[in-house]
Amino acid sequence: MLIFLICIGLLVLGFKFYSPFVERQAGIDPTAKTPQERFTDGVDYVPVHPVKAFLIQFLNIAGVGPIFGPILGALYGPIALVWIVIGNVLGGAVHDYFSGVMSIKEDGKSLPEIAGHYFNVYFKGAMLIFTAMLLFFVGVVFIMSPAGLLSNLDYFKDTFLSNNTFWVLLILGYYFLATLLPIDKIITKLYPLFGLLMIVMTTSIAVALLIHAPQLPTVDGIFAYFDHSHYNNDLLEPNPSGLPVWPLLFVTITCGAISGFHSTQAPIMARCLTNEKYVRPVYYGAMVAEGVVACVWATAGIAAFPGGYIELKSVLDIGGPGMVVNQVATTYLGVAGGIMAIIAVAVFPITSGDTAFRALRLTIIDAFKIPQSIRNRLFVAIPILIIAYFMTKIDFTLIWRYFAFSNMLLSTSVLWLATKYLFDRGTFHWIVSIPATIGTCVTVSYIMTAGIGFGLPQELSQPVGIAVGVICFIALIIAHNKRKVAPVI
């Protein structure tokens, strides 16, 4: 119990004390006119109350990412909780915050346009490819996963509702509407409610685990990762999966720790905030909230199975993370838990998929400076959704691997973009440049060893990744010494 409470406490303290320090570097101006004030169009630039904006941003970035990823990460043992907290406070929340800052400072523009402003047309082109690729894969993944779950529910057995294609087409139909309609027609009305539902579900699961779970992770479990001499129980091995924590844990748990997908969602609320001072609670705050969700489900993966790693692995092999969610929720919360579990693994991914396609539309329109008419929105959205339908016929695991890599790659690229932003301001860039360096190490190590990359053995890929990171860090020191850091007020 203690390690779980420590993790939640550190996330809260990170928002309370570290996020104001981060904010002081960003140049927030509460008196500046926001993009929403200057470009109100009734479609994307629409005023949204900051509480609503927080709940929408939280749901946009959350979906099932901070549920499924931490459940899979639980296979590594309690070290997963350490990564979530450190990654969230020092990496993911900072990444999300500067994604929002740069977008609101640049008229609510998408990442490629911001990259073109701070770097050059080549970096803009690379960011356009990375962003479009990730958004598309997110949208496809979040068609396939809820459709697969809904078509396999016992309630729908032997009916037309058990047809996977039916659910794929139904979800695509909703995505079509959510992508095209003004943001205040669906998203600002429904998403705050779903955001509250996720908060209620997470809180209920957390309380139930603390009261009833058979084997909550302990502080000793964390230290045992570094000292195996006191561990004799195979079920409680600090890393029972036997998989290399570097870099695979960092890829397995992205949402909740750090995720490039979140930066693609930044322009949606940056076009709706009524004051720059709301960027910190909306963006940094939503990421901390997602970190809490991730800690709860990582704890559930470790604590809710008396058989430890072996039992969790067997459930995952049968039905994946969705079955774990269903088993945990129904075991601890009964019928209400079963209903919330279905919503969690069916509805929540849809709420990320539709904003992924909406953000993809915005990215394309921004990149090619296409006027925001309904005709042009149709010309952009329809081909994307048609291609997405045919992509759902491809093996899910292949799509997921490309999604995981592009997610890592984009988060690292955004941190480097934020580094340039702070360099230009002359403020304390290390809050983003050090996470960017670490992200570079992880990304290079992963692509060197992954099957979709070079397929090198771990003993070669890890040194290569670390060497690239060291080179980046040396370059940072050289660049830093060439200019004087402005004093932080």
Side-chain angles (χ1 to χ4, degrees):
M1 178 185 295
L2 182 59
I3 185 61
F4 173 74
L5 295 177
I6 289 173
C7 288
I8 301 302
L10 288 173
L11 289 170
V12 173
L13 290 173
F15 178 77
K16 176 69 175 176
F17 296 107
Y18 187 60
S19 68
F21 172 74
V22 172
E23 184 179 50
R24 288 198 294 273
Q25 319 306 316
I28 291 297
D29 182 3
T31 65
K33 284 191 173 182
T34 63
Q36 173 272 314
E37 293 180 86
R38 291 181 282 117
F39 303 108
T40 299
D41 63 0
V43 179
D44 297 310
Y45 292 89
V46 176
V48 174
H49 189 277
V51 175
K52 269 191 173 183
F54 166 81
L55 291 169
I56 293 168
Q57 175 67 12
F58 173 53
L59 200 63
N60 282 354
I61 66 175
V64 292
I67 300 176
F68 281 14
I71 287 173
L72 294 170
L75 293 171
Y76 292 84
I79 194 68
L81 290 164
V82 176
W83 161 234
I84 290 170
V85 173
I86 295 176
N88 185 293
V89 174
L90 301 180
V94 174
H95 165 278
D96 288 18
Y97 174 72
F98 279 103
S99 297
V101 167
M102 290 186 291
S103 186
I104 203 169
K105 291 287 190 182
E106 294 291 323
D107 301 334
K109 289 179 181 176
S110 303
L111 278 174
E113 299 304 300
I114 299 171
H117 174 80
Y118 286 101
F119 280 99
N120 51 47
V121 68
Y122 303 107
F123 196 76
K124 173 183 175 179
M127 288 291 282
L128 177 60
I129 294 171
F130 298 160
T131 303
M133 180 173 66
L134 178 58
L135 285 170
F136 185 75
F137 284 138
V138 168
V140 173
V141 164
F142 289 155
I143 296 170
M144 297 169 77
S145 58
L149 171 83
L150 291 167
S151 62
N152 285 297
L153 286 175
D154 289 337
Y155 308 110
F156 303 146
K157 188 178 292 185
D158 299 325
T159 70
F160 74 96
L161 295 175
S162 64
N163 188 306
N164 184 268
T165 301
F166 167 79
W167 290 107
V168 167
L169 292 174
L170 187 65
I171 293 168
L172 275 170
Y174 167 72
Y175 283 179
F176 177 74
L177 293 175
T179 300
L180 292 178
L181 291 175
I183 195 168
D184 59 349
K185 299 303 180 185
I186 295 179
I187 292 176
T188 60
K189 286 183 169 60
L190 295 180
Y191 280 30
L193 298 176
F194 287 132
L196 285 171
L197 180 60
M198 177 172 274
I199 292 171
V200 170
M201 179 184 183
T202 302
T203 304
S204 301
I205 293 291
V207 171
L209 288 171
L210 291 174
I211 296 173
H212 301 295
Q215 53 177 56
L216 285 168
T218 64
V219 177
D220 289 342
I222 300 295
F223 289 117
Y225 177 78
F226 303 99
D227 179 13
H228 295 250
S229 61
H230 301 298
Y231 257 76
N232 296 316
N233 185 345
D234 290 340
L235 297 179
L236 298 177
E237 273 291 327
N239 180 16
S241 68
L243 297 172
V245 169
W246 179 285
L248 295 184
L249 177 62
F250 302 91
V251 184
T252 303
I253 303 179
T254 52
C255 290
I258 183 169
S259 170
F261 169 65
H262 298 183
S263 63
T264 68
Q265 303 300 288
I268 295 178
M269 283 299 101
R271 301 181 185 211
C272 299
L273 293 181
T274 56
N275 195 301
E276 286 188 9
K277 67 182 180 182
Y278 299 135
V279 174
R280 182 170 68 92
V282 168
Y283 289 91
Y284 199 107
M287 184 55 184
V288 167
E290 187 183 79
V292 173
V293 175
C295 282
V296 169
W297 284 102
T299 301
I302 297 168
F305 298 90
Y309 168 81
I310 295 173
E311 184 179 349
L312 173 61
K313 184 68 165 58
S314 66
V315 175
L316 287 169
D317 288 343
I318 295 170
M323 181 172 283
V324 174
V325 173
N326 185 66
Q327 185 168 321
V328 170
T330 53
T331 298
Y332 291 105
L333 302 179
V335 176
I339 294 172
M340 285 195 288
I342 292 172
I343 293 173
V345 295
V347 176
F348 290 158
I350 294 174
T351 61
S352 291
D354 62 359
T355 52
F357 282 122
R358 186 182 188 90
L360 181 55
R361 171 179 66 80
L362 294 176
T363 299
I364 293 172
I365 281 176
D366 284 351
F368 296 100
K369 296 181 172 52
I370 302 172
Q372 279 271 35
S373 66
I374 184 64
R375 177 173 173 270
N376 288 337
R377 297 205 301 274
L378 282 169
F379 280 160
V380 173
I382 289 175
I384 290 172
L385 295 175
I386 290 174
I387 296 170
Y389 169 76
F390 288 105
M391 289 290 287
T392 62
K393 307 300 181 182
I394 297 175
D395 179 29
F396 179 83
T397 57
L398 180 63
I399 296 291
W400 184 264
R401 286 197 293 271
Y402 281 103
F403 159 69
F405 173 66
S406 56
N407 199 19
M408 290 171 51
L409 183 62
L410 187 60
S411 66
T412 302
S413 300
V414 171
L415 287 170
W416 284 119
L417 182 58
T419 298
K420 180 64 164 61
Y421 173 79
L422 293 185
F423 252 102
D424 289 352
R425 281 185 45 76
T427 50
F428 194 74
H429 66 84
W430 299 108
I431 55 175
V432 288
S433 57
I434 290 178
T437 302
I438 296 171
T440 301
C441 293
V442 174
T443 303
V444 173
S445 294
Y446 177 74
I447 198 60
M448 285 293 173
T449 196
I452 61 171
F454 295 94
L456 297 176
Q458 289 288 329
E459 56 269 20
L460 290 178
S461 62
Q462 290 178 351
V464 170
I466 293 171
V468 172
V470 169
I471 292 170
C472 291
F473 191 71
I474 292 171
L476 273 172
I477 293 174
I478 294 171
H480 175 82
N481 290 335
K482 287 183 178 178
R483 64 114 169 115
K484 186 178 179 181
V485 179
V488 178
I489 299 174

